[in-house]
Amino acid sequence: MCIRDRYQRRVHGDFMKSCVEEKRRSVWCKIPIGKSELIPFVVKHGFTFHHAETDFVMLTKWLAEGQSMLPSYVTHQVGVGGLVIREETKDILVIKEKTSEFAHLWKLPGGMVDNRESISEAARREVFEETGVETEFLSIVAFRDRERFRFEHSDIYFVALLKPKHSKIVPCALEVAESMWMPIEDFAKESLMPAQKRISDLTLFILRRVLEPGLSIKQEMGTFSFTPENFESIYQGKISKDTFYTANLFRNL
């Protein structure tokens, strides 16, 4: 029996009948790239595309009455910027990208959060990849939500406060044109975009509220930032590692 005939039995035969009898609300059909010739056949039997990855396509069929209530695929992309501040010299780690429409501007090192990666892990990784500076994650200090960005999806950008473990910069030759430790007040003058302006305001606040009086960022910023709490939870029978960020102002409630 050819693979098409086997799918004929499964998709349009006993399996689908049993789904209806069991009053299932929907059916998911995952087709690997090696069997992609089956896609037109499955679509012919009422399945619609849900999402695709590099090695498979996922289709669904709504069996219950009314409009489908299945969740859509990923609707956001998540990025992170590393706010790396040297307390002793009151400066901030910045870069200029090689290929970007904003390549002429200084910005925080950072990038996209990878699959199965936490925000704190992504912040440390991106800063190290772009500048060679290893850091310690302290907290989330801000985030921005942008509607209808790449592929018409929302974009969430987190700003992570990081403490450098050393000062030596080794810029990524592929992505970074320049990298330097810039005085915080100079960075504020460089910030032209609205989000960058808010980040520069934040760094000036840290400078004047914490650094100039000779206080510790790690201790004093606690009131104004979000620190992580790690725990495990169970979703669909699988254990997942969650990170819950709470504004420190409310942590003692």
Side-chain angles (χ1 to χ4, degrees), residues 166-184:
H166 60 84
S167 298
K168 184 179 180 180
I169 297 175
V170 182
C172 173
L174 184 64
E175 298 182 33
V176 177
E178 297 181 70
S179 182
M180 67 178 291
W181 292 101
M182 177 180 287
I184 290 175

Side-chain angles (χ1 to χ4, degrees), residues 89-124:
T89 50
K90 301 180 179 60
D91 48 21
I92 181 175
L93 183 62
V94 294
I95 67 166
K96 281 186 177 180
E97 296 178 325
K98 275 193 172 180
T99 56
S100 167
E101 59 181 310
F102 306 113
H104 60 291
L105 298 176
W106 291 102
K107 64 180 287 289
L108 300 183
M112 302 303 300
V113 178
D114 287 342
N115 191 26
R116 301 184 181 90
E117 186 179 43
S118 70
I119 294 170
S120 59
E121 290 170 341
R124 295 195 305 270

Side-chain angles (χ1 to χ4, degrees), residues 1-248:
M1 180 183 295
C2 70
I3 188 172
R4 189 184 182 97
D5 292 336
R6 289 200 300 271
Y7 261 72
Q8 170 71 27
R9 284 193 172 187
R10 188 158 182 79
V11 175
H12 200 58
D14 296 338
F15 175 73
M16 293 300 297
K17 290 179 181 178
S18 66
C19 289
V20 174
E21 292 171 357
E22 295 169 9
K23 297 184 178 180
R24 295 190 184 185
R25 290 154 57 88
S26 64
V27 178
W28 297 73
C29 180
K30 180 178 179 181
I31 299 179
I33 193 169
K35 299 177 181 178
S36 56
E37 72 274 9
L38 295 169
I39 294 173
F41 172 74
V42 175
V43 170
K44 181 180 178 181
H45 287 87
F47 282 76
T48 56
F49 293 102
H50 186 267
H51 69 273
E53 294 288 351
T54 56
D55 58 350
F56 73 87
V57 61
M58 183 72 74
L59 300 98
T60 64
K61 184 174 183 178
W62 184 250
L63 301 178
E65 294 183 0
Q67 186 176 358
S68 172
M69 298 177 64
L70 292 175
S72 60
Y73 194 46
V74 177
T75 57
H76 291 71
Q77 67 174 19
V78 180
V80 62
L83 182 58
V84 188
I85 299 176
R86 290 195 301 186
E87 298 187 44
E88 62 276 11
T89 50
K90 301 180 179 60
D91 48 21
I92 181 175
L93 183 62
V94 294
I95 67 166
K96 281 186 177 180
E97 296 178 325
K98 275 193 172 180
T99 56
S100 167
E101 59 181 310
F102 306 113
H104 60 291
L105 298 176
W106 291 102
K107 64 180 287 289
L108 300 183
M112 302 303 300
V113 178
D114 287 342
N115 191 26
R116 301 184 181 90
E117 186 179 43
S118 70
I119 294 170
S120 59
E121 290 170 341
R124 295 195 305 270
R125 175 186 55 78
E126 284 286 348
V127 168
F128 179 73
E129 288 178 355
E130 293 187 348
T131 70
V133 177
E134 295 182 280
T135 59
E136 173 191 353
F137 175 83
L138 298 181
S139 63
I140 296 294
V141 291
F143 64 92
R144 183 264 296 138
D145 186 6
R146 174 179 291 161
E147 296 182 1
R148 301 185 68 177
F149 187 53
R150 189 169 290 121
F151 308 118
E152 293 295 302
H153 288 169
S154 296
D155 174 75
I156 300 178
Y157 176 80
F158 289 87
V159 180
L161 182 62
L162 305 173
K163 181 178 181 179
K165 295 183 179 180
H166 60 84
S167 298
K168 184 179 180 180
I169 297 175
V170 182
C172 173
L174 184 64
E175 298 182 33
V176 177
E178 297 181 70
S179 182
M180 67 178 291
W181 292 101
M182 177 180 287
I184 290 175
E185 291 181 328
D186 290 349
F187 177 70
K189 297 174 185 177
E190 288 280 339
S191 303
L192 304 176
M193 310 265 309
Q196 287 288 83
K197 181 64 170 61
R198 296 299 297 153
I199 293 172
S200 69
D201 290 343
L202 175 61
T203 58
L204 285 173
F205 172 86
I206 295 172
L207 173 66
R208 292 162 184 169
R209 178 70 178 262
V210 180
L211 297 181
E212 288 181 347
L215 304 175
S216 165
I217 287 181
K218 191 169 185 178
Q219 292 178 349
E220 297 301 318
M221 283 302 294
T223 306
F224 309 99
S225 56
F226 298 79
T227 53
E229 178 184 4
N230 299 313
F231 56 89
E232 291 185 343
S233 61
I234 298 178
Y235 178 69
Q236 293 184 342
K238 297 180 180 180
I239 297 177
S240 65
K241 294 181 179 180
D242 293 357
T243 304
F244 194 84
Y245 292 89
T246 306
N248 288 331

